[in-house]
Amino acid sequence: MPLSVDARWDLIDKISKQTVEFGARKHTLKDAIAELTVKPLTGIPVAIAVIYGFWSFFCDFAGTLFTDGFMVRLFDEHWLPWLQSVFPGGLKNPFYALMVDAGHIEGGVLVASDNCFEAFGVLTSGFFVVFGVVLWAVLAFYLMFAILEDAGYLPRLAVLVDTVLHKIGLHGYAIVPTFLSLGCNVPGVTATRPLETRKQRFMMMTLLAIFVPCGAQIGIMQDLVPEMMGWIFLTLAIGYLGFGFILNKIVPGKSPELIMDVPPYQMPTLRNIVRKLWIRTSRFLIVAVPFVLLGSIIVGLMYLTGAMDWLAAVLGPLLMGWFGVPSETVAPLIAGFLRKDLAVGILGGLMEQGIMTTFQVFTSVILLCIYFPCLATFALMLKEENGKEILGSLASLVAMVFVYGGLIHLVGIMLGVA
Amino acid sequence: MKILLMGHPNVGKSVFFNRLTGAKVLESNYPGTTVDFMKGWMRLEGEDVELIDVPGAFSLEPKDRAEEVAVKMLAENKDSVIVCVLDASKIERGLYLALEIIEKGYPAVVALNMWDVAEDKNIRIDVEKLERILGVPVVPTTAISGEGFKELVSKIKEAAPVKIEKIIESAGGRESAAVS
């Protein structure tokens, strides 16, 4: 016969009285650090310092050191010219255009590209996006993330932001899926499982899919428009909190307290960090490489067959009229269904051609973030949510894109920059 | 025979799993790293045995998706030995889940993990006495550095179902000698 809850606790009490002895606790250095990082007065500056450090490392290691210092040169000065010289065909040859360099019109003449953003080829832009930019961003992100994870900082951050997140019906724990999503939305969505109610999970997944850019995307945005990153994150954060607030009001269900353990700080072990870095980076490559290459092929074919021009003509008025971005943006939007990093890469190509204003670039980058989760994330949401919730997520997405996208355009008009 | 690793969130089940199977499951220092079960194989006295890393659960009355998975795993694997991983520094609440598992008639081994943390906090546990009361093997471990694993593995075969009445008896019978 099973015991009642009380009887079980009584038994535990008896057992522990006989076997456990609590000695006097010493106040250790660990305790002191633990207190510093959760008390708001010291915890908030520490959190800012940690995030700033995280970001600086991300930019310096991935952006400056690897991508700019090494990969851009490798790809633009060696890989692209080499391919242009040895690959059969040449400008105007469709296969060459698809694989290496689509070229672009300058003064009425089709000229060869001189960088891998512009070239639009599978072997050039596609490879550059994955191995030149995104791989290093992902590596840098996961290195820092693993250290924070293993040290035990994330639950403390959760305690700190708990009050703010409660205002939008989420628990401080939401910081874990959110932070994870900044690396990749797929594990982020999986990490919503400890949330207790379907409402919280639905809200979390929807917010993640719409407002949290992944590491691959951040990496390439940082390479392309470093000066805009502050505004981009601010815009997304406002959307995340604002839309979370609205969702909390309209989605039925409860948002109960979720009581989470704050584990003791631990010294991260090199073994575990290296292993996690390896697991996550290899998972990234397995998912990213095929999708980026497939995406480049699809976009390339759509350009070659004229489908892209047709779509641009059809959707142009909507894009220009409502969002204030040029009809060419349709190409990155198509690629974005598969991979956001590739999409931003294609946007970079358009930027290099000088057909977009700064504000249009900004709007497009935000649109690319929020208009649809990438295919891998969407597939996972199909698995995690029931039919009604999927429809809810999609409806939220559509509403959000039009409202927020239009709003950004409106702000641009009012500021006189759109 | 199968072996299930069960315990509260963030007591180190995944570290056990990786150590015992050589597999690659993500380990982190926050609750809820494993939300789905993972299977792997380990060698037990020359035999290949399936080891399952069950998501963290506080009790067997599920409150979230991860706990649902845990309860389902337990129900689906009636023939398994359960390694109950406890946080030695919070032993009482860990025992709650362990007792629930024992009550359901599963043979169990108790691993008092995070032994180092308990030592830091100056918590002393009388392992032999605990073992006598529970009637199942109890092994102190520090999973991160691998201490206690050999002993734990050697005790898995000793696990046998225990009647809860017997535990009550041995706990109550010694009450007079309590608090040393």
Side-chain angles (χ1 to χ4, degrees):
Chain A
M1 189 199 71
L3 294 179
S4 71
V5 174
D6 286 342
R8 208 174 283 131
W9 280 120
D10 278 347
L11 178 57
I12 290 166
D13 208 38
K14 275 184 192 161
I15 297 175
S16 74
K17 268 194 184 133
Q18 298 174 55
T19 55
V20 189
E21 196 187 322
F22 295 89
R25 275 203 69 172
K26 290 167 293 190
H27 198 78
T28 59
L29 181 66
K30 262 187 195 173
D31 295 326
I33 298 173
E35 278 164 24
L36 276 181
T37 45
V38 284
K39 286 189 179 153
L41 191 66
T42 45
I44 292 169
V46 169
I48 292 170
V50 167
I51 290 166
Y52 182 77
F54 196 112
W55 178 244
S56 305
F57 179 80
F58 182 81
C59 296
D60 289 343
F61 175 84
T64 313
L65 183 64
F66 277 93
T67 300
D68 294 346
F70 195 64
M71 289 296 156
V72 169
R73 278 179 221 166
L74 180 71
F75 273 90
D76 288 354
E77 288 166 26
H78 300 283
W79 179 243
L80 178 67
W82 181 73
L83 274 179
Q84 283 168 331
S85 66
V86 298
F87 205 86
L91 283 178
K92 286 179 183 160
N93 175 311
F95 189 62
Y96 176 88
L98 187 64
M99 299 309 284
V100 180
D101 182 10
H104 59 280
I105 311 286
E106 227 173 75
V109 201
L110 187 68
V111 295
S113 309
D114 55 12
N115 68 61
C116 283
F117 267 131
E118 265 183 293
F120 282 159
V122 175
L123 296 177
T124 50
S125 301
F127 272 48
F128 176 66
V129 165
V130 179
F131 297 106
V133 186
V134 168
L135 176 62
W136 310 104
V138 169
L139 206 63
F141 179 89
Y142 280 136
L143 176 62
M144 295 301 284
F145 190 75
I147 294 173
L148 288 188
E149 252 186 353
D150 284 14
Y153 184 66
L154 292 179
R156 268 120 191 142
L157 197 58
V159 171
L160 267 183
V161 296
D162 192 54
T163 331
V164 180
L165 288 174
H166 263 296
K167 294 221 174 6
I168 63 165
L170 288 170
H171 179 269
Y173 179 80
I175 202 74
V176 171
T178 305
F179 219 131
L180 256 176
S181 288
L182 287 170
C184 173
N185 285 0
V186 171
V189 168
T190 324
T192 60
R193 285 187 185 172
L195 296 174
E196 281 188 35
T197 60
R198 294 218 69 109
K199 172 182 178 170
Q200 284 182 313
R201 290 196 69 209
F202 167 78
M203 278 185 58
M204 191 74 250
M205 281 193 251
T206 308
L207 289 178
L208 291 180
I210 301 179
F211 290 108
V212 183
C214 69
Q217 199 179 351
I218 299 170
I220 197 150
M221 290 194 296
Q222 217 285 323
D223 189 56
L224 207 60
V225 285
E227 70 287 351
M228 274 184 208
M229 292 312 285
W231 290 109
I232 291 170
F233 278 121
L234 185 68
T235 310
L236 292 173
I238 293 172
Y240 178 98
L241 294 173
F243 197 57
F245 185 79
I246 298 170
L247 270 184
N248 186 33
K249 291 267 182 271
I250 58 175
V251 177
K254 281 190 218 146
S255 301
E257 275 290 340
L258 183 146
I259 296 150
M260 185 178 59
D261 267 325
V262 177
Y265 274 121
Q266 270 165 5
M267 187 52 115
T269 61
L270 186 65
R271 188 183 63 97
N272 197 37
I273 299 277
V274 170
R275 229 175 26 117
K276 281 213 267 202
L277 210 52
W278 168 246
I279 298 172
R280 285 176 167 153
T281 310
S282 52
R283 273 186 203 164
F284 159 78
L285 284 176
I286 291 166
V287 177
V289 174
F291 274 126
V292 167
L293 298 186
L294 181 68
S296 326
I297 292 175
I298 292 174
V299 171
L301 283 176
M302 287 179 74
Y303 269 120
L304 286 174
T305 54
M308 199 64 90
D309 291 333
W310 180 80
L311 261 182
V314 174
L315 296 175
L318 172 74
L319 290 172
M320 195 63 218
W322 188 260
F323 300 109
V325 295
S327 58
E328 283 87 348
T329 322
V330 86
L333 286 173
I334 294 283
F337 279 106
L338 286 165
R339 286 290 304 180
K340 296 293 179 88
D341 43 6
L342 175 70
V344 181
I346 294 176
L347 193 68
L350 297 176
M351 250 174 80
E352 302 271 334
Q353 294 173 14
I355 54 168
M356 297 176 106
T357 67
T358 314
F359 192 74
Q360 283 175 333
V361 172
F362 173 76
T363 314
S364 316
V365 168
I366 299 286
L367 276 183
L368 276 180
C369 271
I370 66 176
Y371 85 106
F372 193 77
C374 71
L375 197 63
T377 309
F378 187 65
L380 184 65
M381 287 173 73
L382 282 178
K383 218 179 92 192
E384 296 282 319
E385 294 190 321
N386 63 33
K388 218 173 101 192
E389 287 167 331
I390 279 290
L391 286 179
S393 286
L394 286 175
S396 310
L397 254 168
V398 174
M400 206 53 232
V401 171
F402 278 92
V403 172
Y404 213 47
L407 213 60
I408 291 168
H409 187 198
L410 189 69
V411 171
I413 293 171
M414 291 196 302
L415 292 176
V417 287
Chain B
M1 188 180 97
K2 280 180 192 166
I3 299 171
L4 262 58
L5 284 169
M6 295 190 71
H8 283 195
N10 210 45
V11 292
K13 292 175 295 301
S14 298
V15 187
F16 271 72
F17 185 78
N18 285 338
R19 285 256 172 203
L20 293 172
T21 62
K24 294 183 171 52
V25 179
L26 290 177
E27 307 164 1
S28 316
N29 187 12
Y30 60 82
T33 309
T34 309
V35 287
D36 219 337
F37 65 88
M38 284 291 300
K39 287 182 181 184
W41 294 89
M42 65 175 278
R43 296 288 286 181
L44 188 66
E45 291 167 18
E47 212 185 309
D48 277 327
V49 186
E50 196 174 354
L51 184 70
I52 303 176
D53 183 14
V54 179
F58 287 103
S59 76
L60 297 181
E61 296 107 48
K63 294 206 176 52
D64 62 36
R65 260 298 293 277
E67 287 188 342
E68 277 170 31
V69 176
V71 173
K72 212 173 123 219
M73 291 311 299
L74 192 63
E76 281 173 2
N77 295 283
K78 292 277 183 206
D79 61 334
S80 39
V81 172
I82 317 295
V83 174
C84 300
V85 186
L86 270 59
D87 177 344
S89 69
K90 296 168 189 147
I91 184 166
E92 285 154 325
R93 38 186 250 185
L95 278 174
Y96 189 89
L97 180 69
L99 284 179
E100 277 192 303
I101 291 167
I102 293 172
E103 278 173 50
K104 284 194 185 286
Y106 290 89
V109 178
V110 171
L112 295 176
N113 196 34
M114 303 193 172
W115 191 252
D116 56 332
V117 177
E119 277 180 342
D120 278 355
K121 289 188 179 166
N122 219 347
I123 298 171
R124 281 183 292 275
I125 302 166
D126 187 339
V127 176
E128 278 174 30
K129 201 164 184 182
L130 188 59
E131 205 166 51
R132 270 205 307 276
I133 295 176
L134 291 177
V136 304
V138 178
V139 185
T141 57
T142 302
I144 289 190
S145 55
E147 282 162 61
F149 270 81
K150 260 207 147 130
E151 201 193 334
L152 180 79
V153 171
S154 71
K155 294 267 174 99
I156 288 176
K157 289 260 167 173
E158 289 174 26
V162 182
K163 284 261 177 289
I164 192 75
E165 289 78 15
K166 226 180 145 210
I167 298 178
I168 296 174
E169 200 182 299
S170 29
R174 282 158 204 274
E175 199 168 26
S176 52
V179 196
S180 46

